[in-house]
Amino acid sequence: MDNEKMTDVMADIDPAFIEEARPGRMKRVLRTVGSVAAALVFCAGLSFVVPKLLKSGADDHTAYGALPTESVKNDPAQGENTSGGIGGEGSVRPSEPVLQNAHIAGATEDPQAPGKLDGDAVGYLLPAGMDFCLTQMTIDEAASRFNYIVTAVCRGSADEANIYPFTVADSFGKSLEGDIEVCIPDYSNTSLADGFRPSEGSEYLLFLSRRANVMNGREYFLAEQTVGRENGRNHIFDIADMTYDELIAAMPGVIAENPCTEPDEIIGDFIRSDDPEVIFEGSDAVLLAKVVSMTRPMFAPLTYDGDWILLEIERTVKGDEAKIEALILRAKEFPSAVPCALVPAGSVKEGETMVFCFTLIEGTGPLIVSAPNAIFSPDSSEGRLLLNK
Amino acid sequence: MRDPDIIKLFFSRSEDAITFSRMKYGAYVASVAGRILRDPRDAEEAVQDAFLAAWNSIPPNEPEKLGAYLCRLGRNAALDLFRRNRSKKRGGGETDLALDEMEELIAGGSAPEEAAERKAITETINSFLRELPGKKRRIFVQRYWYLMSEEEIAKEHLMSKAAVAMQLMRMRASLKEMLVKEGLYHG
C-alpha cells in the first residue's frame, strides 16, 4: 500500500478517535500572551479591522499591531464558538452567511461613531489567545483550567465596562468570599451577540480568571464560563444533560479529580507606577510617534476604555526595531490585520506627537500601553527625561 | 448552535450552515490543515476547500460527528494541496516524514485493488486503536491522522521525543502484526 492510500485509509478511522486525539490545549500560549493580547486579538478577529486605516497608506515607518488571521493562530482547543449545556444561550448570530467575512451589525450606519466601523470585519472565527468565554470545553477541562470556581449571586447591573457586582455563595476552587466584580462581556452589535445578561438576584456557577485592564487600571474577575439555572454563557459541551443542581452537586468531585494546574496570576497585568523611570524600564518599546488616526473599539473587556491608534514613528527610543518591523510586515501580509496600537480612551488626539511606552506582545502585536499613564508629552519634564535616555 | 441544528441548515441549503459550522469548527479545521501544510495561506485555502466540500456533500451525507467530519474534509483538502505542492517541489518536512512512516507501516505491501480490502484495513486499524490505551491511541492518531511531528506530540504529552518515537515504532509493529494476522499485509 502506498502512502496516499494509507493516508486515505487513516482518513476513514472512527471519528471518535479523531476527536479524542484532538491536539493542543494551548494553556501555556494563552497564559503567555495574556488577556491583553487576548482581548485585542479577539477584537481584531471579530470587528476591528479598519479598512480606513489600511487604506490610509501605512508605510514602513508606521507602527501597528499586526493581528493574525484565524487560520494562522487558531488552536483547535480555542477559537470555537458553540452554545450548549445548562443555561447556554445558543444564539450566536452572524448577520451575513459568508465564508470569510463577518459583517458587524450596524457597522455601516455611522462609521465615525465610536464602535461603528465601516466595511466588513474579517474573521469572526475566534483566533487563539482570546478569553475562554466562547471556548468549547469539557467540565473536566473547565475545572482544571480556572482557579476560581464559585456559585455567586448577581447583585445588580453592569457598569460601562460590563462589570457586574456579584456576591459569592460558595467556592469550589480557590477560596473566594464576599463581594466580587465580574466582567461578563457584551457581544451585542457583533456577530456573536447572544443576548445574555446575568439577572439580578440569580445565582450562577462562574468559572473565573483574574484580569487587569491597563486601560483603566482596574482589576476584576472575568467570567470565562457562566452556568445558570435558566440562562448563561457556557460552552461546556458535556453538561447538557445535567440540571444546574446536579452540576453543583457534582462539582466537588469534578474538582477533586481535576485540580487546577494553572498559576494563580493576574492575566494582563501592567506596570503599577506613575514614575516614568519605572515605566521606561518595564516597557518593551518607547517611541516618539505621531498619532495618524484613531478609532474606538466597541467591545471586549479591555477595549471598552481604549482607543485604537495608528502611529507614525519619529524615533525609537527603546525597543527592538526588527520586531516592530516584523509587525509591520505581518500586518501587510494578512489583510485581516489591524494596524494599530491601543491606548486609554481619550489619552491622545489625532495629529499629536507623544512619547509612548508600550508592551510588545510577541508574535501577535499590537502595541499596548504598558501602564495606565504611559504616554507623555515630549515637552514635559517626564517626556524629555525619556527622550534623553 | 448544536451540530444537529447545523446539519439541518445544510439540509435546508441555508448558507448559515457554512457560517455556523465555520464559527464552531473553523479553528479546528484550520489547525489540522495548518499542521499538514505549515503555510497559513495554503492552510486557509484548504479550509475553504473543506467547507465547500461540506456544502457539496451534506446532504446526502449526514455526519454523526460534524466536527470530525469537517476535520476529515480539511485533512483531505490539505493533503491534496500538499501533494500538489510537492509535485511542484514545494512540500516536504514533517508531513513527508509521517507519510513515509505510514509506508513503513505496511511495508512492501501491494496496492489493494478492491475497496473491500481498504475497508477491511480501516476496520483493522479501528480495532487496533480500540485496543490501545487512551494515551497511546491519541499519540498514534496525532501522528498519522493529524500528521503532527514527534516533537509536537512529545510537547503535548510531556514526553521526550525519543519516547514518542519509540512508542510509535512499537505501535507500527503491532499494527503490522495485526494486518499480517488478518491477511491484509502483503509483504
Side-chain angles (χ1 to χ4, degrees):
Chain A
M1 179 178 285
D2 63 25
N3 276 342
E4 270 185 40
K5 290 199 175 76
M6 188 61 217
T7 311
D8 293 342
V9 168
M10 278 299 291
D12 292 334
I13 62 170
D14 188 336
F17 299 146
I18 298 167
E19 287 199 352
E20 178 196 49
R22 188 171 165 170
R25 294 301 178 200
M26 295 292 283
K27 289 180 189 174
R28 295 191 183 285
V29 172
L30 282 166
R31 205 162 58 225
T32 304
V33 172
S35 70
V36 175
L40 290 168
V41 172
F42 181 44
C43 294
L46 291 168
S47 55
F48 303 123
V49 174
V50 189
K52 186 171 66 177
L53 297 181
L54 285 170
K55 288 172 195 161
S56 70
D59 59 25
D60 287 352
H61 301 292
T62 306
Y64 38 75
L67 293 155
T69 58
E70 80 277 357
S71 64
V72 182
K73 294 302 293 180
N74 267 355
D75 175 77
Q78 319 304 333
E80 287 192 350
N81 181 359
T82 179
S83 295
I86 305 161
E89 292 287 305
S91 58
V92 285
R93 186 170 50 80
S95 56
E96 290 203 1
V98 291
L99 264 174
Q100 282 189 300
N101 298 341
H103 187 86
I104 301 304
T108 55
E109 291 165 11
D110 179 4
Q112 299 308 311
K116 298 284 181 73
L117 306 174
D118 56 338
D120 285 342
V122 178
Y124 49 64
L125 295 181
L126 308 178
M130 62 167 288
D131 57 50
F132 291 95
C133 296
L134 297 166
T135 301
Q136 191 182 40
M137 60 182 66
T138 65
I139 187 67
D140 289 351
E141 287 167 343
S144 63
R145 187 167 279 169
F146 305 116
N147 279 290
Y148 297 93
I149 302 170
V150 302
T151 53
V153 176
C154 179
R155 288 187 289 110
S157 51
D159 64 15
E160 70 285 354
N162 280 322
I163 293 176
Y164 293 78
F166 274 84
T167 300
V168 175
D170 199 5
S171 291
F172 295 107
K174 282 188 188 294
S175 177
L176 199 58
E177 292 177 348
D179 295 343
I180 54 172
E181 290 191 318
V182 178
C183 178
I184 297 181
D186 176 10
Y187 299 128
S188 56
N189 290 329
T190 78
S191 57
L192 293 170
D194 59 9
F196 172 62
R197 306 272 187 289
S199 311
E200 188 170 350
S202 294
E203 182 188 289
Y204 295 88
L205 174 64
L206 303 171
F207 295 77
L208 303 168
S209 62
R210 293 165 69 199
R211 304 273 175 154
N213 183 349
V214 68
M215 296 299 136
N216 58 17
R218 288 177 73 175
E219 269 188 45
Y220 54 88
F221 288 95
L222 179 68
E224 306 277 9
Q225 300 283 353
T226 306
V227 185
R229 284 180 200 280
E230 289 162 5
N231 63 352
R233 178 185 289 143
N234 79 82
H235 302 274
I236 305 173
F237 56 80
D238 57 352
I239 60 172
D241 298 330
M242 298 174 81
T243 67
Y244 180 83
D245 290 329
E246 285 170 347
L247 179 61
I248 298 299
M251 280 312 293
V254 170
I255 287 168
E257 285 177 16
N258 303 278
C260 183
T261 52
E262 297 297 307
D264 182 13
E265 62 187 8
I266 300 173
I267 301 171
D269 213 354
F270 47 82
I271 300 169
R272 292 163 189 265
S273 173
D274 288 331
D275 183 341
E277 295 267 13
V278 175
I279 294 172
F280 182 91
E281 287 306 318
S283 298
D284 299 320
V286 178
L287 308 171
L288 177 66
K290 182 179 176 184
V291 181
V292 176
S293 61
M294 55 196 297
T295 189
R296 176 71 58 85
M298 67 178 142
F299 79 106
L302 177 68
T303 55
Y304 279 119
D305 303 302
D307 282 331
W308 293 109
I309 59 172
L310 181 66
L311 291 175
E312 190 174 288
I313 299 173
E314 294 184 7
R315 193 180 135 203
T316 302
V317 183
K318 177 185 177 183
D320 188 333
E321 289 183 45
K323 278 186 186 170
I324 294 170
E325 179 74 11
L327 286 178
I328 291 167
L329 291 173
R330 196 171 170 79
K332 282 184 174 172
E333 188 178 358
F334 295 107
S336 59
V338 179
C340 66
L342 190 65
V343 298
S347 58
V348 293
K349 291 177 186 156
E350 215 167 286
E352 271 185 339
T353 296
M354 304 293 273
V355 181
F356 294 89
C357 299
F358 284 124
T359 297
L360 187 61
I361 301 206
E362 194 118 7
T364 60
L367 299 160
I368 304 158
V369 285
S370 51
N373 300 310
I375 303 171
F376 305 94
S377 163
D379 300 323
S380 67
S381 56
E382 295 93 340
R384 283 198 298 273
L385 175 75
L386 296 182
L387 289 173
N388 288 325
K389 285 277 183 184
Chain B
M1 181 174 277
R2 291 163 192 277
D3 287 357
D5 297 325
I6 296 175
I7 288 168
K8 273 183 200 162
L9 289 173
F10 273 107
F11 270 77
S12 64
R13 307 315 288 158
S14 164
E15 288 181 352
D16 283 344
I18 298 293
T19 306
F20 284 111
S21 56
R22 262 203 87 138
M23 285 179 69
K24 190 169 178 182
Y25 294 113
Y28 184 17
V29 177
S31 70
V32 169
R35 281 198 173 86
I36 294 169
L37 293 161
R38 313 272 164 177
D39 179 291
R41 286 177 189 154
D42 283 351
E44 178 56 26
E45 189 181 333
V47 171
Q48 300 279 6
D49 289 348
F51 281 90
L52 184 63
W55 178 255
N56 290 331
S57 60
I58 311 174
N61 292 345
E62 191 174 356
E64 269 183 42
K65 292 179 183 294
L66 182 63
Y69 181 81
L70 292 170
C71 233
R72 193 172 68 180
L73 294 178
R75 180 179 184 268
N76 290 345
L79 284 168
D80 284 347
L81 190 54
F82 175 82
R83 285 165 188 148
R84 287 205 302 273
N85 286 346
R86 188 168 55 176
S87 72
K88 287 188 266 179
K89 298 186 177 176
R90 283 177 51 206
E94 276 302 327
T95 305
D96 261 338
L97 279 175
L99 292 176
D100 288 345
E101 286 171 9
M102 286 179 189
E103 188 167 36
E104 286 169 17
L105 203 63
I106 324 255
S110 62
E113 299 293 327
E114 304 290 334
E117 184 170 359
R118 184 177 141 168
K119 196 179 168 194
I121 291 172
T122 302
E123 281 170 8
T124 304
I125 292 174
N126 280 331
S127 304
F128 167 74
L129 290 172
R130 261 189 291 277
E131 287 171 16
L132 286 176
K135 186 174 177 182
K136 285 187 177 176
R137 183 166 57 235
R138 287 195 294 278
I139 289 172
F140 189 91
V141 174
Q142 284 175 343
R143 182 62 176 154
Y144 300 116
W145 199 95
Y146 287 97
L147 302 175
M148 287 169 71
S149 70
E150 288 173 352
E151 199 169 351
E152 286 169 330
I153 296 169
K155 275 185 192 162
E156 171 114 358
H157 295 274
L158 302 176
M159 296 165 67
S160 69
K161 190 181 163 189
V164 170
M166 180 61 73
Q167 287 210 359
L168 286 169
M169 194 182 73
R170 286 178 181 156
M171 285 189 277
R172 288 199 302 270
S174 300
L175 176 57
K176 185 174 164 184
E177 203 174 300
M178 252 180 116
L179 290 165
V180 168
K181 206 171 161 185
E182 299 289 330
L184 296 167
Y185 176 73
H186 307 283

